[in-house]
């Protein structure tokens, strides 16, 4: 069933009316499917201050074979963005111990390369040296003087 342009506009407005945008396995495909409308409406948006993203999604996995550059454009288009929270996903290993899945930091680098405004990046927990490599890649890609690794909270 196709959704009308008017319904898409209404849904975009509803999503962007909150101060927190939760990007998950349900919202990301919808936003990407309606990318042009969403980015157009988010450019003038001053409501969304916080974006949350589950780090379980940041894997090179067929289930989440999304255009991460476009996800970055969505995040980067939010004018009032102040914080990006990468939240951990816990799983149980063979020994029945709780472990944190380590994300593909290259995906995070692709997302961050589209963010131009100053913001706080909150990653919990951060126990992977690959993150510093991702930050270096982003700082090379970015042309903005406003971004430095010290802007992020760990």
């Amino acid at each position: 069933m196709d959704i009308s342009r008017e319904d898409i506009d209404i849904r975009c407005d509803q999503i962007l009316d909150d101060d927190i945008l939760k990007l998950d396995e349900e919202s990301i495909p919808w936003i990407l499917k309606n990318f042009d409308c969403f980015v157009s409406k988010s450019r003038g948006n001053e409501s969304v201050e916080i974006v949350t993203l589950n780090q379980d999604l940041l894997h090179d996995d067929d289930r989440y074979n999304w255009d991460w550059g476009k996800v970055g454009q969505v995040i980067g288009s939010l004018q009032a963005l102040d914080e990006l929270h990468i939240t951990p996903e816990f799983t149980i290993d063979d020994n029945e111990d709780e472990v944190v899945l380590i994300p593909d930091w290259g995906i995070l680098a692709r997302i961050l390369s589209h963010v131009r405004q100053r913001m706080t990046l909150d990653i919990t927990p951060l126990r992977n040296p690959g993150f510093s490599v991702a930050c270096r890649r982003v700082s090379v890609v970015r042309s903005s003087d406003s971004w430095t690794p010290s802007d992020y909270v760990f």
Side-chain angles (χ1 to χ4, degrees), residues 22-29 52-54 57 66:
K22 182 178 179 186
L23 295 177
D24 58 24
E25 58 276 350
E26 293 178 17
S27 64
I28 292 174
T52 64
L53 179 61
N54 188 310
L57 303 178
W66 299 318

Side-chain angles (χ1 to χ4, degrees), residues 3-4 6 23 27 32 35-36 43 46 52 56 66 70 72 75 90 93 101 117 121 130-132 140 143 145 149 151:
I3 300 174
S4 73
E6 184 178 336
L23 295 177
S27 64
L32 293 177
F35 177 78
D36 292 333
R43 282 198 177 113
E46 295 185 4
T52 64
D56 182 45
W66 299 318
K70 284 189 174 184
I75 293 171
F90 297 95
D93 67 9
L101 299 174
Q117 64 273 42
L121 176 60
F131 179 72
S132 61
V140 170
S143 61
D145 293 333
D151 289 334

Side-chain angles (χ1 to χ4, degrees), residues 88-101:
E89 177 70 23
F90 297 95
T91 190
I92 305 298
D93 67 9
D94 292 338
N95 297 326
E96 297 189 15
D97 294 324
E98 193 174 78
V99 295
V100 176
L101 299 174

Side-chain angles (χ1 to χ4, degrees), residues 99-132:
V99 295
V100 176
L101 299 174
I102 302 300
D104 178 340
W105 296 116
I107 292 173
L108 181 60
R110 286 196 297 274
I111 292 169
L112 293 177
S113 71
H114 294 278
V115 178
R116 302 287 179 232
Q117 64 273 42
R118 285 186 169 272
M119 52 161 286
T120 300
L121 176 60
D122 179 18
I123 301 176
T124 310
L126 181 61
R127 302 269 188 264
N128 186 301
F131 179 72
S132 61

Side-chain angles (χ1 to χ4, degrees), residues 9-64:
D9 285 344
I10 290 169
R11 182 68 184 129
C12 285
D13 290 338
Q14 289 170 339
I15 293 171
L16 293 168
D17 193 38
D18 200 355
D19 61 339
I20 298 175
L21 173 59
K22 182 178 179 186
L23 295 177
D24 58 24
E25 58 276 350
E26 293 178 17
S27 64
I28 292 174
W30 189 90
I31 289 170
L32 293 177
K33 183 177 179 180
N34 302 290
F35 177 78
D36 292 333
C37 177
F38 194 87
V39 169
S40 173
K41 288 187 167 286
S42 65
R43 282 198 177 113
N45 178 274
E46 295 185 4
S47 298
V48 178
E49 297 176 359
I50 299 170
V51 172
T52 64
L53 179 61
N54 188 310
Q55 74 182 28
D56 182 45
L57 303 178
L58 300 176
H59 290 278
D60 226 356
D61 187 322
D62 288 341
R63 294 175 297 158
Y64 311 124

